[in-house]
Amino acid sequence: MRESGFRGRPEENGDGSGRSAAVSWQQADIAAAGRVIGWQPRHTFADSLAGLWAASADPAGAPAL
């Protein structure tokens, strides 16, 4: 929400997608990839999100991640 400039209040009242209706909550954990294969992300979550937001606003001017 910070990256988008949205200053409103989020309201979550939907059921989610039909594909995951039976799953009430999801979370990705990259720690296993780090332990097993030594993988680490090259970019922070905030930087990745900012890049995605910029690309959606101006695909020609988005930074390469």
Side-chain angles (χ1 to χ4, degrees), residues 13-59:
N13 56 9
D15 292 333
S17 73
R19 291 185 331 168
S20 60
V23 179
S24 62
W25 188 79
Q26 296 180 33
Q27 176 180 335
D29 182 0
I30 62 171
R35 285 190 308 272
V36 176
I37 62 173
W39 180 85
Q40 292 184 352
R42 292 185 200 163
H43 307 280
T44 66
F45 178 72
D47 288 344
S48 297
L49 188 57
L52 288 169
W53 188 257
S56 70
D58 180 13

